[in-house]
């Protein structure tokens, strides 16, 4: 069978100087062929094993759309809890090739970890990342037997390699890239890596996840490698949501994307129905790619990995849950096992939710993207700001300012302002590549907006306000006014959120926020001189600071 990415090689290609092989890739792939690894071929098989595993709660909640999902008609929602850590651990990430001394240590540890796992049984399974013939990557996951629930969730989150997708792969675009291989062992412990280890070889599409068992690590490690593959092949890797507003009569369709960290409102804005005013099609709320060539976009995964905190018992969204992580269980008045959500048990309760929760889902949008909304929680900015200059537009995305959420396993406050370039903490290639690509999108005519979903001058910006300002942009009725003395920035006048006079106090607040962004860029360029961001990014922010000085 011809594959879209490479898993089989000719003798001439299996050489030391080949671009397909590296120490980590060879260590990881080899483990997949060991005797104690059993292949899981169907989602149904994974369900049967997961529903009988220790630690699983089989809820009295039926899964709907079982036929389309490849599940038995009697399938129930399965719950597992992953222990103390219920978020992603960014500090565990290491990338092969960044530090040759540490690489030697890490390769030693990985060889040892795989050797020590020999006496335990493992499962492996295959999936596809990317849901259109123009971009599909084959991925392989290997987990210890007791982690069958994580493997089951992974097969549901991505697209299992079933007969339909085997046929679609045959006519899909071929890439000279490796298949993705991920090895996972949460039982691993090491005194020098108390937070666990997630070790990537991004150019060879492999990763090991050791000492961590939160499902989000598996999902994001797989996406990290798929995004990097897309970025090497003419796409912009996007951690955000994208939808198309289809208009009747003479109005043109409008494609909008929303970039923000977990908890900033990107899913809410992406899935909003806007009172049925438009025929909306949703691409995805978390992971997609945009073609540099023509602005079209492709979803990378069919399902959603959603927070459960907004869905109390009885909420209709629970109908679409397939698996649940890090939530509680109790009995209803009929003695049925039901979920206790709203983060009562712990923060960041999660579900793998089927694509059928969005009746208007599509996997590809041919129409070129029209607008990018950077979602920020920056109290110095009105609910909606428009930026004209492509360099400045990319710079504001590069210094996307927001607040962290409990989806991340970090000590300290979740309320402090942080900068996360393009809202993507999963980038494993130089940031300057994203900077240039977004710049190209803006130069090609894509509009740029900053949407503040936090508060403005002490007043919370409600969800209704955010949706209304988006509709004004889509309808072409938004009336923008110059944002004080700042050249190239306009803002949307909005009742209840008056713009204060640009007095010293207000100018000082905006200056402080812009200075945080400038400091980030300067520190970044000092730390990574080889892949520094363009001087233009820095001079643009300096000009804004000058505009505020006068």
């Amino acid at each position: 069978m011809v594959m879209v990415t490479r898993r089989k090689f000719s003798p001439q290609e299996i050489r030391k100087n080949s671009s397909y092989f590296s120490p980590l890739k060879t260590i990881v792939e080899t483990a997949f062929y060991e005797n104690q690894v059993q292949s899981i071929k169907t989602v149904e098989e994974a369900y049967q094993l997961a529903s009988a595993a220790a630690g699983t709660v089989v809820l009295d909640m039926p899964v709907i759309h079982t036929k389309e999902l490849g599940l038995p008609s009697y399938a129930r929602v399965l719950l597992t809890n992953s222990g103390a850590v219920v978020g992603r651990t960014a500090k565990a990430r290491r990338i092969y090739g960044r530090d040759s001394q540490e690489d030697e240590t890490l390769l030693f540890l990985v060889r040892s970890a795989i050797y020590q796992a020999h006496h335990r049984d493992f499962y492996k399974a295959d999936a596809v990342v990317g849901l259109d013939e123009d971009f599909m990557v084959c991925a392989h996951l290997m987990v210890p037997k007791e982690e069958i629930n994580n493997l089951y969730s992974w097969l549901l989150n991505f697209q299992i390699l079933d007969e339909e997708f085997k046929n679609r792969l045959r006519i899909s675009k071929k890439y000279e890239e490796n298949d993705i291989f991920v090895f996972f062992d949460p039982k691993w412990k090491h005194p020098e890596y108390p937070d666990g280890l997630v070790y990537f070889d991004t150019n060879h599409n492999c990763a090991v996840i050791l000492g961590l068992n939160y499902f989000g690590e598996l999902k994001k490690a797989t996406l990290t490698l798929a995004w990097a593959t897309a970025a090497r092949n003419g796409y912009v890797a996007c951690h955000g949501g994208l939808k198309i507003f289809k208009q009747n009569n003479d109005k043109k369709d409008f494609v909008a994307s929303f970039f923000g960290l977990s908890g900033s409102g990107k899913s809410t804005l992406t899935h909003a129905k806007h009172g049925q005013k438009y025929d909306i099609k949703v691409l995805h709320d978390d992971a997609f790619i945009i073609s540099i060539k023509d602005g079209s976009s492709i979803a990378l995964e069919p399902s959603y990995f959603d927070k459960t905190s907004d869905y109390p018992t009885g909420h209709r969204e629970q109908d679409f849950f397939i698996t649940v992580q890090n939530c509680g269980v109790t009995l209803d008045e009929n003695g049925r096992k039901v979920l206790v959500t709203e983060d009562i048990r712990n923060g960041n309760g999660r579900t793998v939710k089927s694509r059928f929760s969005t009746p208007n889902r599509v996997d590809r949008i041919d129409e070129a993207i029209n607008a990018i909304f950077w979602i920020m929680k920056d109290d110095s900015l009105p609910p909606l700001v428009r930026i004209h200059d492509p360099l400045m537009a990319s710079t504001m995305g590069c210094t996307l300012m927001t607040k962290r959420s409990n989806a991340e396993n970090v000590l300290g406050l979740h309320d402090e302002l942080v900068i996360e370039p393009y809202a993507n903490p999963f980038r494993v290639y130089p940031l300057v590549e994203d900077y240039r690509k977004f710049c190209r999108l803006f130069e090609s005519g894509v509009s740029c907006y900053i949407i503040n979903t936090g508060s403005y001058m002490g007043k919370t910006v409600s969800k209704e306000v955010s949706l209304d300002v988006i509709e004004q942009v889509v309808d072409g009725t938004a009336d923008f006014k110059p944002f004080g003395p700042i050249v190239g920035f306009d803002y949307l006048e909005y009742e209840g959120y008056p713009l204060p006079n640009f007095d010293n106090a207000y100018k000082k607040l905006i200056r402080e926020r812009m200075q945080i962004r400038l400091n980030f860029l300067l520190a970044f360029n000092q730390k990574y001189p080889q892949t520094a961001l363009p001087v233009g990014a820095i001079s643009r922010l300096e000009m804004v600071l000058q505009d505020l000085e006068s």
Side-chain angles (χ1 to χ4, degrees), residues 401 417 419 511-520:
M401 187 181 278
L417 286 170
I419 284 178
R511 258 204 327 269
E512 280 172 7
R513 297 283 183 268
M514 293 295 178
Q515 190 67 50
I516 292 172
R517 293 179 170 92
L518 180 61
N519 292 348
F520 171 83

Side-chain angles (χ1 to χ4, degrees), residues 298-344:
I298 296 171
L300 293 185
E301 40 187 14
S303 306
Y304 308 103
F305 184 48
D306 203 356
K307 289 183 164 65
T308 55
S309 54
D310 295 337
Y311 310 134
T313 310
H315 194 290
R316 65 167 293 276
E317 208 61 24
Q318 288 202 11
D319 295 347
F320 301 98
F321 290 8
I322 324 175
T323 65
V324 181
Q325 296 87 27
N326 302 320
C327 286
V329 176
T330 191
L331 302 178
D332 70 5
E333 64 267 34
N334 298 311
R336 289 181 301 219
K337 293 193 286 289
V338 294
L339 286 170
V340 179
T341 54
E342 299 181 283
D343 285 0
I344 294 170

